[in-house]
């Protein structure tokens, strides 16, 4: 498998990820994946930093993605998956991840490859916990959002093949990021949450 995709796809885990690394990675990125289940991301500013540096976003209607979409318009961000209301309704109805495994050929093939050690031929069973979690304890409803994610990635690929269109989206992302400045954010927190007023500082002039 590594021989097939080795020169086409590389996955790198950054050790001790920190601001000094983010300063290098974020400006060099084309696409930011913000794919938490709607209603589970309390905040998050990484996606805003990607936006300010011209990276496009594929993500759910969760966290800052909601505000970003409002600023840049739905045509300049790749949104997929369930809304908070749809997530609540699915859980209330009774979510069964095995239903998606049984009815989605592409998803079933992916799960089976993980289960059957296709990606770990020399270390069988390495990813079995992932399979068990997805099929029986999928608390983030990954199976339910899988098909929408794949279709959205196809839209990303199509857009990336049109450089002029992609660059236009990137520029509009940067141009729409002004709302997320620290000054505006802190003022809104002070007004709406902390209920505090600015302190007038009197200066004393002297010789």
């Amino acid at each position: 498998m590594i021989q097939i995709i080795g020169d086409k796809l590389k996955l790198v885990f950054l050790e001790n990820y920190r601001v000094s690394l983010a300063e290098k990675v974020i400006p060099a990125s084309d696409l930011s994946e913000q794919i938490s289940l709607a209603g589970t991301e309390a905040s998050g500013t990484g996606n805003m930093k990607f936006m300010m540096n011209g990276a496009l976003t594929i993500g759910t209607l969760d966290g800052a993605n909601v505000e970003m979409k409002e600023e840049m318009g739905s045509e300049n961000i790749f949104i997929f998956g369930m809304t908070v209301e749809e997530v609540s309704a699915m859980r209330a109805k009774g979510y069964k991840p095995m239903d998606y495994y049984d009815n989605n050929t592409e998803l079933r093939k992916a799960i089976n490859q993980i289960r059957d050690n296709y990606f770990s031929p020399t270390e069988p069973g390495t990813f079995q916990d992932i399979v068990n979690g997805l099929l029986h304890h999928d608390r983030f409803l990954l199976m339910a959002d899988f098909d929408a994610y794949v279709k959205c990635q196809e839209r990303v690929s199509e857009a990336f093949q049109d450089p002029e269109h992609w660059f236009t989206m990137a520029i509009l992302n940067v141009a729409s990021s002004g709302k997320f400045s620290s000054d505006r954010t802190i003022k809104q927190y002070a007004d709406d949450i902390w209920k505090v007023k600015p302190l007038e500082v009197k200066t004393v002039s002297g010789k």
Side-chain angles (χ1 to χ4, degrees):
M1 185 64 182
I2 294 177
Q3 293 176 339
I4 297 173
I5 67 170
D7 60 342
K8 298 180 176 64
L9 177 66
K10 295 185 185 299
L11 180 64
V12 178
F13 291 95
L14 299 177
E15 185 177 356
N16 190 20
Y17 183 70
R18 55 201 181 278
V19 172
S20 57
L21 272 181
E23 289 175 340
K24 299 176 181 179
V25 173
I26 291 175
S29 300
D30 292 311
L31 184 69
S32 167
E33 300 219 12
Q34 306 292 332
I35 56 178
S36 54
L37 178 67
T40 61
E41 178 66 56
S43 180
T45 59
N47 39 0
M48 300 174 195
K49 295 182 177 74
F50 280 105
M51 175 190 183
M52 291 176 179
N53 281 273
L56 303 188
T57 298
I58 177 173
T60 55
L61 280 174
D62 192 33
N65 293 344
V66 177
E67 293 180 87
M68 288 163 56
K69 175 177 173 288
E70 291 173 352
E71 295 301 306
M72 71 177 71
S74 58
E75 68 276 13
N76 294 307
I77 187 171
F78 302 99
I79 295 294
F80 75 93
M82 293 176 285
T83 64
V84 172
E85 294 75 20
E86 289 169 339
V87 168
S88 298
M90 177 168 287
R91 283 178 167 159
K93 183 177 64 175
Y95 172 57
K96 299 178 181 179
M98 283 297 297
D99 288 347
Y100 294 89
Y101 173 84
D102 291 335
N103 294 299
N104 187 314
T105 302
E106 189 173 7
L107 174 60
R108 184 167 62 254
K109 180 179 179 180
I111 296 296
N112 288 349
Q113 286 182 323
I114 297 171
R115 180 198 65 195
D116 298 335
N117 305 304
Y118 182 78
F119 303 104
S120 55
T122 61
E123 299 177 274
T126 297
F127 303 123
Q128 189 58 46
D129 286 345
I130 294 177
V131 174
N132 293 339
L134 289 172
L135 294 180
H136 306 293
H137 310 285
D138 183 16
R139 59 188 292 255
F140 293 109
L141 280 60
L142 297 174
M143 305 285 275
D145 265 347
F146 174 83
D147 194 51
Y149 174 74
V150 171
K151 287 182 170 60
C152 195
Q153 280 287 6
E154 291 172 354
R155 288 172 47 214
V156 171
S157 298
E158 182 180 349
F160 193 71
Q161 293 177 52
D162 184 348
E164 184 175 352
H165 176 54
W166 187 276
F167 294 155
T168 299
M169 293 176 69
I171 291 170
L172 290 171
N173 267 252
V174 176
S176 303
S177 64
K179 176 183 178 179
F180 304 112
S181 70
S182 297
D183 290 343
R184 193 277 310 170
T185 304
I186 292 173
K187 184 180 186 305
Q188 185 176 354
Y189 273 48
D191 293 343
D192 300 342
I193 300 175
W194 301 326
K195 307 297 183 184
V196 295
K197 300 296 182 183
L199 177 65
E200 182 179 350
V201 178
K202 296 182 179 180
T203 59
V204 179
S205 60
K207 295 182 179 179

